[in-house]
Amino acid sequence: MQRILASQALLPHGWTRDVTVEIADDGRISTVTSGDAAAANGGGVLLPAPANLHSHAFQRAMAGLTEARGPDPRDTFWTWRELMFRFLDRLTPEDVQAIAALVQAEMLEAGYACNVEFHYLHHRPGGLPYASVAEMSERIAAAAAETGIGLTLLPALYEVGGCDGRALGPGQIRFGNSADTFARIVAEAERALSHLPPDAGLGVAPHSLRAVSPAGLASAIAIAGDRPIHMHLAEQQAEVDEVLANRGARPVEWLIGQAELGPQWCLVHCTRMTGQETAALGATGAIAGLCPITEASLGDGIFDAVGWRDAAGRFGVGSDSNIRISLTEELRSLEYSQRLRDRTRAVLAEPGRSTGRVLFDSATQGGAIAAGRDSGQIAPGRWADLVMLDGSTADLVGLRGDTILDTWIFAENRPLVRDVWAAGRHMVRDGRHVARDGINARYAATIRRLRDAI
Amino acid sequence: MQRILASQALLPHGWTRDVTVEIADDGRISTVTSGDAAAANGGGVLLPAPANLHSHAFQRAMAGLTEARGPDPRDTFWTWRELMFRFLDRLTPEDVQAIAALVQAEMLEAGYACNVEFHYLHHRPGGLPYASVAEMSERIAAAAAETGIGLTLLPALYEVGGCDGRALGPGQIRFGNSADTFARIVAEAERALSHLPPDAGLGVAPHSLRAVSPAGLASAIAIAGDRPIHMHLAEQQAEVDEVLANRGARPVEWLIGQAELGPQWCLVHCTRMTGQETAALGATGAIAGLCPITEASLGDGIFDAVGWRDAAGRFGVGSDSNIRISLTEELRSLEYSQRLRDRTRAVLAEPGRSTGRVLFDSATQGGAIAAGRDSGQIAPGRWADLVMLDGSTADLVGLRGDTILDTWIFAENRPLVRDVWAAGRHMVRDGRHVARDGINARYAATIRRLRDAI
């Protein structure tokens, strides 16, 4: 049993002072009490730690390498994707594990307790399977065993090179599976997860309407059962055009007609929706998986968070390409993109809930649903996914309630995260992951070799 | 004399390995040599440190406090300004010094070597002058004496409450001066700067076309002589409308007709220009003072950096409201705003210079011109404004040339700044300002009292 004392905590009914949280040995919160003056000595601010609902860990190794101009006069998402394909052709299972461990440690330090890993890099260079068909999934699970992050692993189905059903290109050959081999990978991945603590979870990810046939989508849905289903949707205009040309409807429009969408679904990006699609998708209860840093980096465009709110849509955030892993920057980038578009302030604030509070509540609650994870609130029975901010800093001194979140999200200059627990595993102390040195050393060796090679 | 060894450095002619920089006791670079293998042991990456070309230090104390919804159904810049006016009605000279010291320390830690302080808070609550008419300017200089930052102080002329010449509102009364009292403040401020090291400089800031009459603008230009002149320009639509209604021309259009613009001028924001204004202003050689974080926070809108580049316009960046003090986030926010608008990548990259390199070169060169500071390059005779990145981190290991800047600016998760020198003063070591503890303690005492009071 662990006991955490906080001078303020964000509980389901709101901000509460002098809070004591007890964590049982199974990683779940056992009791939450308030009013114990001893708790004030803890000094910190305790928050539920969100899940990072969308990540491709290996892309972290490309961060910073794709900001020069390509040969095209106008560099685009698609030239970025070409470089990504060349890059990952080098990656070994050991590399993937080293990179995933770094990314997970950085996620924990940023305040995330769970990594929802949308995983499509399955096979050897050239496309032949590894001796264990789920080798790469096993490596991601091994990284999670080391970092202690909560893992929701989403093996991804990637069948075809485009909406017309064309064959995979050379850069995609390591991703490719039939629905049958995909089912085997899912089963093997589930076995790998059984070696992790019981908060680890599984879902499935039909990659996108570009990469999955209608029949493949139906298979993935069947394989999922009641587990989370994640899919990239409506990210780039070329994708919208391709789906429209091949299926006679825009991506969101088409998907709503094909599948029974609901909270089991997380649709990632959704930066290219009509107002009608926004309203219709929001009403299904599906989670919008927003990745504001990556969506800016790749020029995807600005998500319509105002229309989504008006449709009672729910969302969470993810670090996607992992070019930068910052929970606060994801949240402020989302709000700031709305302000830049609408030329106003405090766009997502509501009466009684500040901008930062609305953003943070969405990230915790939407993130937990998307992760299929029994978390998102500091309440008995939930996994103890917790983040403690350092309340003794000048940044936070004397603040109460929502202004704490506003300060953390919009005004943090130095990291304010002091401790992070994932299902009770106390992995970040004094702002640093407890196994950072070894993780850094393995990552540095990996990245030096990769950088020399490309 | 100090000697700095770097394994890579960004020199005027480009990236160079194994560089030794010597700094004379007067704070200027004396020699720059390369090829000394001993330099490689330094391990770091040495860059010219930019000036932060626009700051209102006291606003840092409001960071995070204005993200809830105001009573207006749509919260705007103008309600934010109301809160700012109430807040600063509390500030004492001691407060201003404590806040400025914190802000300057944070600027140095972020990699800036110079604070161009656009200073308009001159008088007592109620508007009477302090015993020393430049009391507040003296406090900012005192903060710079403690933090060691290079200071370019811009006393601001603020005469009227709007373009129609109306009287100052109650929130503006501490800013107000006639051209005559303003001239006295400038003279006294210059005397205060004479107690600082010789790299400190003075300029003048006619606040904006809202706050300065045509005659006041002419006076400020006369007072400036050949010193830098900074002015807020074309930030908000309401301001454009007001200038158009009262002066028969849009702000940029009007100013170009009134003053001989050139590199002596820094026009801050310029988020509301027509294509014609962009081309005309860019051609004058004036610096655009961009504050991307604040411009997002306040909903000012997206600067047209593409049109500005096509007009051969120069720019630097500033932290303005200081809601967050991050050189890298200013730069990536500028680029990302262009990507979100244009839905493409690497917008500001040029053949042979990556996105990060273009951004950083602009910040150093444009910033130095705007600061009226003999810096911006690692070259003999220049002030030794230098920033050293930690080349031993996994983030930078094995990288060369522009990808270092791309990684720092776009992919930094943990601060990579290790050392900063301002005119040779070695103020940041191991990522931390050498006097941080005392600065933090005084700021914490100030901010706690202010937060309790409002």
Side-chain angles (χ1 to χ4, degrees), chain A residues 425-437:
Chain A
R425 296 179 295 274
H426 190 175
M427 302 314 298
V428 174
R429 296 172 194 245
D430 284 330
R432 193 174 158 87
H433 189 279
V434 295
R436 245 308 191 164
D437 290 342

Side-chain angles (χ1 to χ4, degrees), chain A residues 81 128 225 239 301 308 312 392 443:
Chain A
R81 200 176 69 151
L128 287 178
E239 172 199 344
W308 190 248
S392 70
Y443 178 76

Side-chain angles (χ1 to χ4, degrees), chain A residues 251-405:
Chain A
V252 172
E253 206 183 359
W254 186 85
L255 187 64
I256 287 176
Q258 291 291 314
E260 206 173 315
L261 301 182
Q264 182 185 9
W265 285 76
C266 177
L267 288 321
V268 181
H269 301 308
C270 301
T271 37
R272 294 288 199 287
M273 297 196 291
T274 63
Q276 213 166 12
E277 287 176 310
T278 303
L281 186 63
T284 67
I287 307 298
L290 307 181
C291 310
I293 295 174
T294 298
E295 288 153 11
S297 170
L298 298 185
D300 291 340
I302 300 174
F303 178 76
D304 180 10
V306 174
W308 190 248
R309 187 249 326 265
D310 293 346
R314 292 187 287 193
F315 69 85
V317 294
S319 55
D320 191 2
S321 71
N322 295 305
I323 185 165
R324 178 159 153 71
I325 299 172
S326 166
L327 170 58
T328 58
E329 187 161 323
E330 296 292 355
L331 296 176
R332 70 176 169 269
S333 296
L334 174 60
E335 168 70 19
Y336 280 173
S337 68
Q338 311 297 305
R339 295 187 191 186
L340 287 173
R341 182 194 58 209
D342 296 346
R343 298 185 172 176
T344 186
R345 296 195 69 249
V347 173
L348 294 178
E350 295 173 358
R353 287 200 304 160
S354 75
T355 313
R357 174 75 180 279
V358 169
L359 290 166
F360 192 75
D361 283 352
S362 294
T364 49
Q365 293 161 22
I369 297 168
R373 188 169 172 90
D374 197 8
S375 59
Q377 291 193 331
I378 302 179
R382 304 278 181 136
W383 295 117
D385 286 358
L386 301 169
V387 56
M388 178 83 89
L389 304 184
D390 186 349
S392 70
T393 59
D395 289 317
L396 294 185
V397 71
L399 294 183
R400 297 216 188 295
D402 286 2
T403 54
I404 294 171
L405 290 171

Side-chain angles (χ1 to χ4, degrees), chain A residues 411-422:
Chain A
E412 174 189 53
N413 282 335
R414 289 271 149 174
L416 294 177
V417 169
R418 194 175 71 191
D419 297 272
V420 178
W421 294 260

Side-chain angles (χ1 to χ4, degrees), chain A residues 67 75 324 344 355 412, chain B residues 67 75 324 344 355 397 412:
Chain A
E67 305 305 331
D75 209 326
R324 178 159 153 71
T344 186
T355 313
E412 174 189 53
Chain B
E67 306 304 332
D75 208 326
R324 178 159 153 69
T344 184
T355 313
V397 71
E412 174 188 53

Side-chain angles (χ1 to χ4, degrees), chain B residues 154 203-206 217 220-221 224-225 227-231 264-267 370:
Chain B
L154 310 173
V204 304
L217 176 60
I221 293 172
R227 298 187 191 99
I229 304 171
H230 287 224
M231 189 177 203
Q264 182 185 9
W265 286 75
C266 177
L267 289 322

